[in-house]
Amino acid sequence: MRRAIDLGQNGPARGVNPQVGCVLLHPDGTLAAEGWHRGAGTPHAEVDALSKLGEAGARGLTAVVSLEPCNHTGRTGPCSAALIDAGVARVVYAVSDPGDVSRGGAQRLLDSGVDVIGGILADEATEAIRPWLVVARHGRPFVTVKWASSLDGRTAAADGSSQWITGAAARQDVHRRRAEHDAILVGTGTVLADDPTLTARDERGELLPDQPVPVVVGERPVPGAARVRQHPRGLVESGSRDLGRVLGDLLDRGVRSVFVEGGPTVASEFIRLGLVDDYLVYLAPTLIGGPHTALDRLGVETIDDQRRLRVTDVTPLGDDLLIVARDTLRRTP
């Protein structure tokens, strides 16, 4: 199963389809074939592996798959049917398919007399396709909230100046992560105060090949002269402060991951509503003090209500630290 999970990582990390791998084994446990999904419209991992078998075919083999074989016909046929038709004797999978249309492959296999075992290395497989599972299970894009602050939690000095708290290595890491998301989101207040471009750039200031779509949340219009209006991907103005509605609209537009860089008001609202999947906190070894904190009210009125996070990674970036965390109250994803 771990090999199947690793194979899946060869496929595209972004898009409507998950990264899935499949290993076909002979009854004695030796390898017969393996495959992975290469993106929408291409054979799924099971079919890719089956296509590599010789004349002996798949009769009596075991298929080890990182995601439950699908049970629907889209741009390709159902993998559960392909496995049944090929004569596979047993299917072992890690994570159940959460899709309303695609789920049910395991039951179809069982009904056809195939031995099925699920849940093998489920936690590892879940982590490997976590962003895809968030979209499938929650019906919204995967949300990353980022901020950069001093050790005392300040994002700007008393006069509002904030460039720069963190060093060049941390700022470049932010640009790389922007490029890994489908959209970058801020509030109207950030646009009016900072006039950002919301682009992803390299060390020389040149645009990276992958650019997130800029999204501005709020009811106030973005000024006509704002630099974000020159963004190569165009500008999405939500016209609303309803974050659930905004995320739903973005998903309809094909946006499956959102990088939130708004100020404390927008970031705090995402957190308050329980819409954050990953926190990226860039900490600089400096003290600023004053009123400009990274977050404002989160609905925490007593210490018992504090929002506990689980740190999943700590990375030094020059003199700064990047802390990656997620909510302890939510199961992955």
Side-chain angles (χ1 to χ4, degrees):
M1 181 61 75
R2 192 162 285 121
R3 173 61 178 167
I5 295 169
D6 290 343
L7 284 170
Q9 299 305 294
N10 292 321
R14 293 161 69 173
V16 298
N17 289 28
Q19 296 172 294
V20 181
C22 175
V23 177
L24 297 176
L25 300 175
H26 292 294
D28 63 0
T30 58
L31 178 67
E34 57 187 24
W36 65 88
H37 182 52
R38 290 165 171 79
T42 66
H44 288 189
E46 300 92 324
V47 175
D48 183 47
L50 289 170
S51 72
K52 298 172 183 176
L53 293 172
E55 294 182 0
R59 191 141 318 266
L61 299 188
T62 293
V64 182
V65 194
S66 55
L67 181 68
E68 176 188 4
C70 68
N71 194 40
H72 81 296
T73 299
R75 296 172 68 177
T76 59
C79 293
S80 52
L83 293 168
I84 293 168
D85 293 343
V88 167
R90 183 171 65 161
V91 172
V92 180
Y93 68 91
V95 180
S96 297
D97 191 325
D100 292 334
V101 176
S102 57
R103 69 175 59 167
Q107 189 60 53
R108 184 172 185 170
L109 289 160
L110 284 168
D111 292 344
S112 297
V114 178
D115 185 23
V116 178
I117 301 173
I120 305 301
L121 293 186
D123 288 345
E124 290 186 32
T126 294
E127 191 65 26
I129 57 171
R130 182 168 166 252
W132 182 86
L133 284 171
V134 164
V135 177
R137 290 176 176 173
H138 300 295
R140 61 162 177 80
F142 186 94
V143 174
T144 300
V145 167
K146 165 264 172 182
W147 68 82
S149 72
S150 59
L151 288 181
D152 58 340
R154 267 55 182 185
T155 59
D159 64 355
S161 59
S162 61
Q163 296 183 353
W164 297 104
I165 294 175
T166 55
R171 297 197 299 273
Q172 194 53 51
D173 189 75
V174 170
H175 282 279
R176 178 180 66 82
R177 293 175 184 271
R178 284 181 178 183
E180 292 175 349
H181 287 72
D182 294 333
I184 179 170
L185 184 148
V186 299
T188 309
T190 295
V191 173
L192 296 176
D194 300 336
D195 194 23
T197 64
L198 301 184
T199 53
R201 304 181 298 279
D202 63 19
E203 298 89 342
R204 300 165 298 175
E206 301 293 329
L207 294 180
L208 293 173
D210 292 323
Q211 290 293 320
V213 175
V215 180
V216 178
V217 172
E219 298 172 345
R220 291 176 292 177
V222 173
R227 293 197 296 169
V228 71
R229 289 197 176 278
Q230 305 303 314
H231 196 286
R233 294 292 304 278
L235 171 64
V236 175
E237 293 184 79
S238 72
S240 170
R241 290 181 290 181
D242 183 336
L243 296 183
R245 176 180 167 187
V246 170
L247 291 178
D249 175 66
L250 290 175
L251 188 61
D252 289 342
R253 293 171 179 264
V255 170
R256 301 177 64 83
S257 59
V258 177
F259 196 68
V260 178
E261 282 207 57
T265 300
V266 170
S268 299
E269 184 68 1
F270 269 99
I271 296 169
R272 190 182 68 80
L273 294 175
L275 296 173
V276 183
D277 300 298
D278 271 351
Y279 295 82
L280 301 183
V281 182
Y282 294 85
L283 282 181
T286 186
L287 301 173
I288 298 175
H292 294 289
T293 55
L295 300 173
D296 52 29
R297 297 186 67 83
L298 300 177
V300 176
E301 303 301 330
T302 176
I303 197 64
D304 291 337
D305 296 334
Q306 63 185 297
R307 304 185 71 95
R308 288 283 185 184
L309 303 181
R310 175 166 62 90
V311 173
T312 59
D313 189 57
V314 178
T315 303
L317 295 169
D319 292 333
D320 307 315
L321 284 181
L322 167 60
I323 298 176
V324 182
R326 63 182 66 163
D327 203 316
T328 60
L329 298 180
R330 291 182 55 191
R331 288 185 59 82
T332 299

